[in-house]
Amino acid sequence: MTSFRKINRVLLADKIQTSVWVIAAYLAAIVLSLIPTAFNGELFSSHWSGYVMARALSWSGLALLLAFIFLTRASEKVYTTNKYRLIPVSDTKLYGANLFSSFVAFILVFLIPIIFMLLYYLFNVKTVNRIVNSSFAGLQANIWLFLLGILLVGIAGLLFWWTTVSLIHLLTTAISRALPANNQKFYKAVIYIVLIYLVVWMFGKVQNWFSQLAYLQYMLGSSSIYTQPMWTALLLFVLAVVISVVNVLLMNKQVETKQ
Amino acid sequence: MENALSLKGVSYKRNRRVILANINLDVAQGTTLGLLGENGAGKTTLMRSIAGVAKGAKGTITVKGQTGTIERKGLVSYTDNLDGFSRGAKVADIIEFYASVYPDFDQDKYRELSDFLDFGDTTKKIGELSKGMKEKFVISLTLARKAAVYLLDEPFEGIDSMTRKKIINSLIQWKAAESVLVISDHYVTEIAGLLDEVAIIKDEKLIAHEKAEKIRENGNSIEDYYEGLYEKGAADNDKL
């Protein structure tokens, strides 16, 4: 049988290729958008690091969005192609390795704006410390603990949305195989619309329920700037695990490769 | 001789259509089986079921005593036209992929096979390969695994006669003595000389499973036998 390490390695190799393309496009966009500042001399002034970081941050959203879209596409292909489904490995291992490799590849893209921010910090330590201190002045909070909470929400949110996209894809594939072969494209389009609507509706309901729960915590006096993001991360993580179990079951019983 | 491949009551339904109905088949180890039938008869689905990628197949498929899907995947070598590899993927990368994910993939055997088939260029991309070259590559990859069952789905489709001969020779030479080789095709003449047994699928059912030797002893060629069964079916349908 193929080990988790080996399946992970081949999946990572494929996805890192996608990340490298996104990173290359991201860096190219930063360089191109810096050209005007180079011509008017601003790039060679003492504020050069500020210009670089501003461009890096302004393009980071698009780069992360593209990475999410391309990695999601690559991830979903794994479930329906013989390249991966013929490998002697359990569906749970394949699913886990697929999710993990997407996550690592996404983090790779995420690290690039972080590196730009760190570079800016290195060249402007005093300024950044002053801004941070004045922004959080009077707040009796540990900023690092708060940032950790936000990071956990980001990670759990990423996993949640990936598992949800897979759920919609795998459910559509499973339902459409029970419908007649004619008009499959039409059936799939209708199923996708209905499932997306249902997911958005259910997510709204869960959010509503969760905000009530958070209010309850507040009433009990246990809510704080730290616990709120932790609770959110925990909820998203639990949801991602539950959805993953359903996805693996669908892979195991219903979802097959294209013929 | 012990059965390397056994199918008991295998049925498969998809898109409200029965594709395989109650297939029963036992194949002894070392056998080269011709899986014959028209286009759409269910040959590919049967191969996909054996390989463990067709989900929802009913019945029991046993490969060397193993019925579990993961175990079967480890014992069956099936390449299915390189589905999932991009046209830009290099031959060398695909070989490396196979070596990584299939513990039984033998790189030396692959090299010998590809040399025999005059397919040595590993720098080419999939999209640059001709149909014949691609088929040679697929066969080299498939046979380079040390599997109990090899599945070749229409390996001669759209290939010139010289390449066909080369591939047939490679199958004769490189098939492990104890392994089962299943070749599906609807051009019977091409593979007749290779076969120990034939299994014929028609209208989602297995209508015949016979030893090639017995067919020849009865004075028939495999092609006549196959066509006879199909014509008989057509005549029976006309009567109805």
Side-chain angles (χ1 to χ4, degrees):
Chain A
M1 301 305 109
T2 310
S3 66
F4 183 78
R5 190 177 59 84
K6 283 191 173 168
I7 184 83
N8 209 25
R9 208 178 73 183
V10 291
L11 281 164
L12 253 177
D14 281 0
K15 287 175 186 171
I16 283 175
Q17 241 178 357
T18 306
S19 293
V20 167
W21 277 108
V22 174
I23 290 169
Y26 175 42
L27 294 177
I30 294 170
V31 170
L32 286 173
S33 59
L34 278 170
I35 289 173
T37 56
F39 275 107
N40 62 28
E42 286 169 337
L43 190 61
F44 307 107
S45 69
S46 57
H47 301 298
W48 68 271
S49 56
Y51 288 111
V52 173
M53 197 190 74
R55 301 301 186 279
L57 285 185
S58 62
W59 285 109
S60 65
L62 184 63
L64 290 171
L65 180 69
L66 285 178
F68 180 81
I69 292 169
F70 290 141
L71 289 170
T72 305
R73 193 169 158 263
S75 243
E76 294 311 306
K77 269 190 169 179
V78 168
Y79 306 128
T80 51
T81 52
N82 283 326
K83 178 183 176 184
Y84 295 108
R85 294 299 298 271
L86 278 168
I87 298 172
V89 68
S90 71
D91 289 329
T92 313
K93 266 190 198 172
L94 181 63
Y95 183 85
N98 194 24
L99 202 58
F100 178 73
S101 55
S102 293
F103 179 72
V104 172
F106 186 84
I107 292 297
L108 215 64
V109 180
F110 181 74
L111 280 176
I112 306 302
I114 300 289
I115 290 169
F116 276 107
M117 283 165 80
L118 284 175
L119 279 174
Y120 178 78
Y121 179 68
L122 279 177
F123 286 99
N124 304 274
V125 179
K126 282 181 184 169
T127 318
V128 175
N129 282 344
R130 199 178 58 239
I131 294 168
V132 170
N133 288 336
S134 64
S135 301
F136 289 89
L139 197 69
Q140 297 299 312
N142 183 338
I143 185 174
W144 295 111
L145 206 58
F146 175 71
L147 285 177
L148 176 73
I150 298 296
L151 185 71
L152 283 175
V153 172
I155 292 169
L158 190 64
L159 294 176
F160 169 77
W161 283 114
W162 262 328
T163 53
T164 304
V165 169
S166 292
L167 178 71
I168 293 170
H169 173 215
L170 299 178
L171 261 179
T172 304
T173 311
I175 296 168
S176 64
R177 65 170 280 169
L179 298 170
N182 296 334
N183 306 316
Q184 275 285 313
K185 276 188 181 169
F186 171 74
Y187 293 138
K188 279 190 177 175
V190 172
I191 299 165
Y192 269 122
I193 292 166
V194 172
L195 287 177
I196 290 167
Y197 175 78
L198 276 175
V199 164
V200 172
W201 179 77
M202 277 182 74
F203 187 66
K205 286 275 172 202
V206 171
Q207 250 187 337
N208 195 24
W209 166 79
F210 184 65
S211 63
Q212 283 174 357
L213 201 75
Y215 182 69
L216 187 72
Q217 275 181 56
Y218 178 75
M219 294 290 283
L220 294 170
S222 66
S223 178
S224 77
I225 192 170
Y226 311 122
T227 54
Q228 188 63 37
M230 297 289 183
W231 275 108
T232 308
L234 184 69
L235 174 81
L236 288 169
F237 187 69
V238 169
L239 283 174
V241 171
V242 172
I243 295 168
S244 292
V245 172
V246 178
N247 286 343
V248 172
L249 275 172
L250 284 167
M251 275 173 77
N252 198 257
K253 304 284 177 205
Q254 293 288 322
V255 178
E256 59 181 41
T257 57
K258 283 176 194 141
Q259 191 171 323
Chain B
M1 201 182 282
E2 191 193 336
N3 285 331
L5 174 66
S6 175
L7 284 83
K8 300 266 179 264
V10 174
S11 301
Y12 178 84
K13 201 177 163 185
R14 191 191 159 98
N15 299 121
R16 305 178 79 84
R17 195 190 139 216
V18 176
I19 298 172
L20 297 172
N22 195 30
I23 305 280
N24 292 291
L25 181 70
D26 287 315
V27 187
Q29 58 182 35
T31 305
T32 299
L33 176 81
L35 189 60
L36 311 177
E38 285 180 332
N39 278 331
K43 303 185 297 288
T44 303
T45 303
L46 187 61
M47 286 200 170
R48 284 164 54 82
S49 301
I50 296 168
V53 284
K55 297 287 171 178
K58 301 246 164 42
T60 311
I61 300 170
T62 313
V63 177
K64 256 194 146 180
Q66 301 289 335
T67 52
T69 311
I70 309 162
E71 289 78 12
R72 249 173 33 227
K73 283 179 183 174
L75 292 165
V76 175
S77 183
Y78 175 59
T79 303
D80 192 28
N81 217 19
L82 299 170
D83 169 46
F85 291 96
S86 72
R87 286 173 59 81
K90 281 185 183 161
V91 167
D93 296 336
I94 296 172
I95 297 166
E96 203 186 307
F97 178 90
Y98 264 68
S100 295
V101 300
Y102 295 110
D104 59 357
F105 186 79
D106 184 339
Q107 294 215 52
D108 292 333
K109 194 176 175 189
Y110 171 82
R111 244 169 267 132
E112 287 171 27
L113 261 159
S114 57
D115 285 347
F116 179 82
L117 286 168
D118 301 324
F119 178 79
D121 192 354
T122 56
T123 58
K124 281 199 169 173
K125 291 175 179 171
I126 292 295
E128 294 168 355
L129 299 178
S130 66
K131 185 120 184 155
M133 290 297 249
K134 197 174 169 187
E135 205 51 61
K136 284 176 178 179
F137 181 42
V138 166
I139 286 172
S140 302
L141 285 173
T142 309
L143 294 184
R145 283 183 61 193
K146 286 175 188 156
V149 176
Y150 296 96
L151 303 175
L152 296 178
D153 193 7
E154 300 189 353
F156 310 114
E157 188 80 16
I159 287 176
D160 65 88
S161 62
M162 284 297 286
T163 310
R164 253 179 269 162
K165 279 177 192 161
K166 260 285 191 218
I167 291 174
I168 288 169
N169 286 337
S170 77
L171 296 178
I172 295 167
Q173 190 168 331
W174 296 95
K175 186 188 124 352
E178 68 281 5
S179 301
V180 165
L181 175 64
V182 182
I183 311 173
S184 82
D185 219 324
H186 44 266
Y187 300 116
V188 187
T189 323
E190 305 286 351
I191 56 169
L194 269 178
L195 307 177
D196 299 314
E197 293 177 10
V198 288
I200 299 169
I201 296 190
K202 185 172 182 268
D203 300 331
E204 69 268 348
K205 292 183 192 80
L206 183 75
I207 57 165
H209 178 207
E210 194 58 89
K211 288 200 183 311
E213 206 178 69
K214 198 173 170 192
I215 295 168
R216 290 188 196 106
E217 273 173 13
N218 291 338
N220 285 323
S221 68
I222 290 174
E223 194 173 9
D224 290 341
Y225 175 77
Y226 166 64
E227 284 176 0
L229 277 171
Y230 254 83
E231 278 163 17
K232 185 175 172 281
D236 288 348
N237 285 341
D238 288 345
K239 276 182 207 165
L240 294 170

